[in-house]
Each structure stands twice: as structure tokens, then as C-alpha cells.
Amino acid sequence: MKNLFYLFAITAFAFTVVSFTSFNNEKYPENLPSEYVEVLKGDFIKTMESNSLFTSIETNFVSLFDEVTTIDAQYSNNAGYYYLVVGSKTGQERFEILKTDKADIDNGTYTYIDFSNMEVMPMQFCSSGPAFSPFPFVCTGPCQVRTTSCLGAICGILVNGQCVNE
């Protein structure tokens, strides 16, 4: 009977610890405010499982990723469809937001930026964001080159002074 009580107590303690541990936050950088993480969680549609999508992102965004570990399809009324890509570059974990469209999510592809006529390295990316954000570190406005560091959806590549995605 005493052993049964100890087993019950240990099980109850384990469930308590697990219930207060958030495994889902591991994909988000620790320096992001929890309010922003909640926004990202709210935009979640599904986790992408396409190996060809992973390879495409690693190949076309080689300056950002050596390896892609997860890609989540997201949707926001303010920003539209995007991929939240988590991976690593030179051993450092990182994440990026890539502007995309519903067809890419449905097909498990990334065609928003057409890399077929572009040299992949080196390149400067353009970013976009919602018209307004309560978070000061989030890029706002249309696709453009940013002179300051902000978190935005990669929407194009700088070519001859213009942001292009085709």
C-alpha cells in the first residue's frame, strides 16, 4: 500500500511539472516577448512535412540556413500567409518569416520569390509587415529594403535597387 501511495505521488508530481512546461515555446527564440509568441501561435495553420519544401528553402535561402528543422504555415489577417521557418546557420539556431501564399501552403512548395533567374549568393532580402504593430521590433509596411533591423516577412530580393520577387 505504501508503494502504491509513492507511485501515485510521483505520477501526480510528474503531471504537474509537465502541465506547467511549454514544449511548444522551444521553436521560438527566447528573446521574443511572450505576447508575440502568442500572436505566432494564433496564426498557426499547420506544420509542413514536405521534404522538397525543406530542400528548396535550404537551397534558395542558403545565406540564412544551413539546415531547416521545421516549417509552420501561418496566416494573419494583417500580413497574409507566411512560413515560420526554424533552422540553423553555422551552428546557431535561427528563425525567419517568409511571405508566401495559400497555393504554396496547399502544395507544400515555396514559389513566392522566383529564384530561377537569380544568383542565390550573396543577396540582400526585402521585408514586409502589417500596417501597424504593437511590437516595436516588427517591420511595418510594404515590401522594402530595411535600413534598420526589424522582424518582418521576407518578401523579395534587392536587385538593382528594387525589391523583386520574380
Side-chain angles (χ1 to χ4, degrees), residues 30-42:
E30 291 179 12
N31 61 347
L32 281 182
S34 60
E35 296 88 1
Y36 190 72
V37 171
E38 292 305 315
V39 169
L40 292 173
K41 286 181 182 180

Side-chain angles (χ1 to χ4, degrees), residues 1-15:
M1 181 75 168
K2 188 176 182 182
N3 288 340
L4 185 60
F5 175 74
Y6 285 129
L7 180 62
F8 176 74
I10 290 171
T11 303
F13 177 74
F15 279 124

Side-chain angles (χ1 to χ4, degrees), residues 67-111:
E67 180 182 14
V68 171
T69 54
T70 63
I71 301 173
D72 285 348
Q74 311 273 117
Y75 177 78
S76 163
N77 286 333
N78 295 328
Y81 291 96
Y82 62 95
Y83 285 139
L84 177 63
V85 182
V86 179
S88 62
K89 181 68 177 172
T90 60
Q92 298 293 316
E93 191 170 59
R94 66 176 302 145
F95 88 103
E96 293 289 341
I97 298 171
L98 305 179
K99 183 83 174 130
T100 193
D101 53 34
K102 187 174 183 334
D104 276 347
I105 292 170
D106 291 343
N107 296 322
T109 57
Y110 182 79
T111 61

Side-chain angles (χ1 to χ4, degrees), residues 33-40 132-140 151:
S34 60
E35 296 88 1
Y36 190 72
V37 171
E38 292 305 315
V39 169
L40 292 173
F132 170 79
S133 174
F135 306 103
F137 56 86
V138 171
C139 302
T140 56
L151 180 59

